[in-house]
Amino acid sequence: MKVVIMAGGRGTRISELFPDIPKPMIPVCGIPVLEREISSLKEQGFTDIILTVGYKAESIMQHFGDGRKYGVQIEYFVEKEPLGNAGALFRIKDKLTEDFLLLNADAMFNVDFNRFVKFHKAHNGLVTLFTHPNNHPYDSGLIVANKEKKVEQWLTKEDKRPKYYQNRVNAGLHVINPEALDLKVTTDKVDLDRQVLKPLCSSGKIYCYDSPEYVKDMGTPERYETVCKDFENGTVEARNLKNKQKAIFLDRDGTINKYVGFLRNIEQFELLSGVSEAIRKINQSGYLAVVVTNQPVIARGEVTYTELQEIHNKMETILGKDGAYLDGIYFCPHHPDKGFEGEVKELKINCNCRKPNPGLLLQAASDFNINLEQSWMIGDGKNDIQAGKNAGCKTVLIGDDEFGQDITVYSLLEFVNQIVC
């Protein structure tokens, strides 16, 4: 599979640190970020690379040559005039005869690209976006997708967004079928997001691939410093899903938000004190933060899937404003007891996902390659502890009961400060 890397950026925001270096050549721990990207691709079998270059193209071309020194084959397209971040694609369209990876050269990433491509091929779409949560969704472009991961909306920074939204951000990594480029472009400068990808939303042909792997823009001095620290402490490599992950599984009601019995109305949702700080610390710790929650209100006919999604959007929006995020949210909509007015009969079943069964944790473990023995399940009830034990996790109870848990605390923040930090 060909890889197209857009390496024409100047990096105006970070130029105060590197005034004479094109952004792709900015060093991360002594090695240009583009070289680190190419090395990661080569290790995974992606060796056929096209670099689109512009600003100080000569320095990039002199450094990498034809790529043989790095075990890859590189050819170049030189933008004599700026073509936007996608104009070059239409100039090299004849070279793109099958699905290809399209990446940015100005971000630090370490991603299992084979897993990403496998998802794309399984869904047979025109485009697959690599999406993830981040700690500043309020000023990021947001992707809205349905349960099948088909993209329905693309909210750019200037678009009006709803009051509550899912923290799902486009990371700038793509798998693209060249048919997506079969459109009339009347301008030399082409904006990839606004002119090519956003119009495909609601077509049923563009998907999102959600992943907690490391992808971080390094366009400002502050973000560059963070990337360097993350690389030095091993965070960048560790988050690649080829490596086993560790997670903190979080019950929702009574752990993240105030317990109100069956939460049926979005107005009832209120974060517990210290939760944003706790989850922010989890995000910084190397653990994944994954919610696993029983939601029988769906089977009872009291809350629809859409209403539950809106409740979870509120949770993610509030956390995002506090600089925290969740890597995944898994819920069980079932309930075993039948015969009640208004119930959804097909959801009134015995299942493996309703805690104390471990199904939600096992699904997350499969999705994110989680080592359950190195992970924790924290909640405020017996079912949470039993689910954690059934999955093979260490367990934490919020409260003062005894259900055989490994640790007892009185808040999520207490656990994080005691064990994680």
Side-chain angles (χ1 to χ4, degrees), residues 93 96 99-100 126 176-183 200 205:
K93 193 175 172 184
L96 306 173
D99 291 346
F100 64 96
L126 285 183
I176 299 179
N177 184 296
E179 288 181 27
L181 304 179
D182 290 342
L183 61 140
L200 287 173
K205 297 179 180 179

Side-chain angles (χ1 to χ4, degrees), residues 267-318:
E267 300 303 323
Q268 297 174 296
F269 185 92
E270 183 180 348
L271 284 188
L272 288 164
S273 176
V275 162
S276 289
E277 181 184 351
I279 294 178
R280 190 167 61 246
K281 288 181 175 180
I282 293 172
N283 299 151
Q284 297 165 353
S285 71
Y287 282 91
L288 302 180
V290 180
V291 169
V292 287
T293 175
N294 290 346
Q295 290 300 318
V297 287
I298 301 288
R300 290 161 62 98
E302 297 169 342
V303 174
T304 65
Y305 283 107
T306 300
E307 289 167 337
L308 180 63
Q309 181 63 56
E310 189 66 7
I311 290 168
H312 287 163
N313 287 352
K314 180 177 181 180
M315 175 170 62
E316 293 204 73
T317 302
I318 296 170

Side-chain angles (χ1 to χ4, degrees), residues 185-200:
V185 174
T186 58
T187 58
D188 288 331
K189 285 188 176 183
V190 182
D191 186 288
L192 178 68
D193 294 354
R194 293 164 179 79
Q195 290 176 257
V196 181
L197 300 180
K198 190 175 179 180
L200 287 173

Side-chain angles (χ1 to χ4, degrees), residues 135-371:
N135 61 5
H136 55 100
Y138 46 82
D139 67 357
S140 302
L142 298 174
I143 304 300
V144 180
N146 64 18
K147 289 189 294 184
E148 286 74 43
K149 301 297 180 72
K150 289 183 179 180
V151 176
E152 296 180 335
Q153 283 184 284
W154 186 308
L155 302 175
T156 54
K157 293 179 184 180
E158 65 268 22
D159 288 334
K160 183 178 180 181
R161 58 186 63 196
K163 183 177 181 181
Y164 302 124
Y165 46 81
Q166 184 176 4
N167 186 342
R168 176 186 274 139
V169 175
N170 178 34
L173 314 179
H174 323 75
V175 186
I176 299 179
N177 184 296
E179 288 181 27
L181 304 179
D182 290 342
L183 61 140
K184 244 183 206 181
V185 174
T186 58
T187 58
D188 288 331
K189 285 188 176 183
V190 182
D191 186 288
L192 178 68
D193 294 354
R194 293 164 179 79
Q195 290 176 257
V196 181
L197 300 180
K198 190 175 179 180
L200 287 173
C201 294
S202 300
S203 68
K205 297 179 180 179
I206 180 168
Y207 289 82
C208 63
Y209 170 78
D210 294 331
S211 174
E213 292 171 290
Y214 194 97
V215 184
K216 192 177 289 293
D217 171 69
M218 39 184 273
T220 67
E222 295 76 16
R223 290 178 185 174
Y224 172 73
E225 183 181 356
T226 298
V227 165
C228 291
K229 286 180 179 177
D230 288 344
F231 189 86
E232 288 175 338
N233 65 27
T235 298
V236 177
E237 167 66 21
R239 277 298 176 95
N240 188 307
L241 288 184
K242 70 184 180 186
N243 302 314
K244 281 291 184 181
Q245 306 297 305
K246 55 184 182 178
I248 295 175
F249 294 102
L250 306 162
D251 176 46
R252 195 192 78 179
D253 303 320
T255 301
I256 291 176
N257 56 285
K258 290 184 178 180
Y259 181 78
V260 295
F262 289 120
L263 195 157
R264 303 177 179 89
N265 189 306
I266 193 170
E267 300 303 323
Q268 297 174 296
F269 185 92
E270 183 180 348
L271 284 188
L272 288 164
S273 176
V275 162
S276 289
E277 181 184 351
I279 294 178
R280 190 167 61 246
K281 288 181 175 180
I282 293 172
N283 299 151
Q284 297 165 353
S285 71
Y287 282 91
L288 302 180
V290 180
V291 169
V292 287
T293 175
N294 290 346
Q295 290 300 318
V297 287
I298 301 288
R300 290 161 62 98
E302 297 169 342
V303 174
T304 65
Y305 283 107
T306 300
E307 289 167 337
L308 180 63
Q309 181 63 56
E310 189 66 7
I311 290 168
H312 287 163
N313 287 352
K314 180 177 181 180
M315 175 170 62
E316 293 204 73
T317 302
I318 296 170
L319 288 172
K321 288 179 178 177
D322 291 337
Y325 59 86
L326 299 167
D327 293 290
I329 300 175
Y330 294 79
F331 66 88
C332 170
H334 307 113
H335 194 269
D337 300 333
K338 303 177 183 178
F340 296 91
E341 185 179 352
E343 69 185 16
V344 182
K345 292 183 180 179
E346 61 267 27
L347 298 179
K348 287 287 187 171
I349 60 171
N350 286 302
C351 64
N352 189 48
C353 57
R354 179 175 167 81
K355 296 179 292 185
N357 294 322
L360 296 178
L361 290 82
L362 298 180
Q363 184 60 56
S366 174
D367 291 345
F368 296 149
N369 194 21
I370 294 170
N371 183 331

